[in-house]
Amino acid sequence: MSDGTATTTTDLDVRLEKHRVELTGYCYRMLGSSFEAEDAVQDTMVRAWRSYDKFEGRSSLRSWLYRIATNVCLDMLTAGNKRARPMDLTESTPLARAALSPRPDNTWLEPMPDSRVLPTTEDPAEAAVAKESVRLAFMAALQQLPPKQRAVLILREVLAWKASEVAELLGTSVASVNSALQRARATLAEREQPGAQATVSDPLDEEQQKLLDRYVAAFEGYDMTALTALLHEDAIMTMPPFDLWLTGHDDISGFMTTLGSACEGSRLVPVQVNGLPGFAQYKPDPEAGGYTPWAVQVLEISEGRLTGFHFFLDTKRWFPLFGLPLHLEAEADQVEQGV
């Protein structure tokens, strides 16, 4: 390979890489899976790199990459799998009948670190739209749409593409794009999504930050009275991969002191997840000492109360994705080590 070719190859890699975060966000909204989204983007990059000599520049590199990514996602969605949350699949279970029944990984809408899907922007309004568009309730709503309607809605309403640009990307007419968008909007309007009312400012306002501080104190202290005071009366708790979900502070606090009692003594580490505040939860490790990963928590807030908290329990997958350690030392050990 000549020096000139090597330079060109390096330059292309850099140019492609600049689009990775926004493409991951797009594929994540399309697929509902963190890992499938990253696989789709990698496939997109490989296809773009291999066929770049055929790219004629009639559209921007960005548009061309979105066309490839859309085709990759549509191919992956032909199996018809719709990822979901527990409340999309079953009725709420009273605590008296609570049972932990897991379903396969590909059933569930998956969490995603903000840093992997939300490009840096100086525009607060643009940042707010981007965060809202990866929240669990909106992601679950997207999963109800047929794949092409999903693509149209994301491109038009989240990414603010023109109808003509979307039509060119999908190889269809503007009228067809407008019709698909109208149908997609109608479907979303018909479906009231639990968690859709979550209102979290960016950055958190003082009241929301105080609420989170009180939540951490209540959870780490396993103070059910204090925790109950923070929960909306219709608060929802989910725990994928289990299909169980609970409604109301009485059942939630009751669960945490019975089936969930092993969480007592946990430590919480803040994370930014799906445009919402969240925590990595570590519970005591009686064998090795310190703390072991237990869940990535995603919190939904509305009108000064917690309306939803969702525990994603597959820690071997989630903690590395979030760049989190797989063990925490006990505080006494940290003090001794000068941490």
Side-chain angles (χ1 to χ4, degrees):
M1 184 179 285
S2 69
D3 290 344
T5 305
T7 301
T8 302
T9 300
T10 303
D11 288 347
L12 178 58
D13 287 341
V14 170
R15 291 174 67 200
L16 294 177
E17 201 59 33
K18 286 179 180 177
H19 297 281
R20 182 176 290 276
V21 172
E22 65 171 311
L23 286 172
T24 305
Y26 176 62
C27 293
Y28 175 59
R29 295 178 186 100
M30 285 291 290
L31 300 170
S33 163
S34 321
F35 297 104
E36 286 184 3
E38 297 202 328
D39 288 346
V41 172
Q42 193 57 34
D43 191 1
T44 297
M45 295 298 190
V46 169
R47 292 189 191 191
W49 199 89
R50 287 176 176 167
S51 59
Y52 185 70
D53 58 341
K54 299 174 185 173
F55 174 55
E56 299 173 354
R58 287 197 300 265
S59 62
S60 67
L61 178 64
R62 179 173 181 256
S63 297
W64 184 60
L65 288 171
Y66 269 93
R67 180 180 296 117
I68 298 171
T70 300
N71 289 332
V72 170
C73 289
L74 292 177
D75 286 346
M76 292 174 74
L77 288 166
T78 52
N81 181 49
K82 293 181 180 179
R83 288 179 177 266
R85 302 169 300 170
M87 53 276 210
D88 302 321
L89 301 177
T90 65
E91 295 296 320
S92 177
T93 306
L95 178 60
R97 291 195 283 109
L100 298 177
S101 304
R103 295 201 187 191
D105 289 342
N106 64 2
T107 305
W108 304 115
L109 184 63
E110 297 178 347
M112 182 64 114
D114 286 1
S115 60
R116 290 181 179 253
V117 292
L118 299 177
T120 304
T121 174
E122 300 297 322
D123 183 344
E126 188 178 315
V129 169
K131 281 201 165 190
E132 288 171 9
S133 71
V134 293
R135 290 183 182 166
L136 295 174
F138 184 73
M139 290 288 298
L142 285 176
Q143 300 301 301
Q144 305 301 320
L145 300 175
K148 284 197 175 178
Q149 285 185 30
R150 202 179 305 179
V152 168
L153 185 83
I154 296 166
L155 291 165
R156 291 282 284 119
E157 304 228 317
V158 177
L159 302 176
W161 285 40
K162 296 175 183 176
S164 57
E165 294 171 328
V166 178
E168 183 179 352
L169 181 146
L170 294 174
T172 188
S173 67
V174 169
S176 177
V177 166
N178 289 337
S179 175
L181 179 60
Q182 191 173 11
R183 293 197 303 275
R185 285 173 174 164
T187 300
L188 298 193
E190 289 169 5
R191 295 174 181 269
E192 179 62 32
Q193 293 290 331
Q197 306 309 314
T199 52
V200 182
S201 59
D202 182 27
L204 295 175
D205 63 31
E206 186 177 358
E207 182 183 348
Q208 291 166 347
Q209 188 57 60
K210 285 181 179 177
L211 176 66
L212 290 182
D213 292 343
R214 290 167 63 199
Y215 172 75
V216 171
F219 196 96
E220 290 190 341
Y222 230 60
D223 182 340
M224 291 302 115
T225 301
L227 184 64
T228 297
L230 305 179
L231 297 179
H232 189 277
E233 60 182 13
D234 295 324
I236 287 172
M237 176 180 176
T238 70
M239 292 160 283
F242 301 116
D243 58 14
L244 169 74
W245 63 284
L246 301 165
T247 307
H249 42 60
D250 289 343
D251 276 2
I252 290 172
S253 60
F255 178 88
M256 293 180 71
T257 54
T258 54
L259 289 174
S261 61
C263 290
E264 185 169 357
S266 290
R267 292 292 174 263
L268 301 181
V269 176
V271 294
Q272 295 297 313
V273 50
N274 285 87
L276 293 164
F279 296 95
Q281 178 192 342
Y282 292 82
K283 70 174 185 175
D285 186 340
E287 295 181 3
Y291 300 90
T292 190
W294 183 246
V296 169
Q297 302 182 5
V298 185
L299 305 187
E300 293 169 333
I301 299 172
S302 181
E303 298 178 352
R305 294 285 183 92
L306 293 171
T307 55
F309 56 144
H310 310 285
F311 295 68
F312 291 90
L313 301 180
D314 191 352
T315 53
K316 289 182 179 178
R317 302 172 78 215
W318 305 133
F319 276 52
L321 182 72
F322 282 79
L324 293 162
L326 294 177
H327 183 79
L328 282 187
E329 297 296 337
E331 282 82 348
D333 295 337
Q334 293 177 348
V335 171
E336 289 174 7
Q337 296 166 15
V339 177

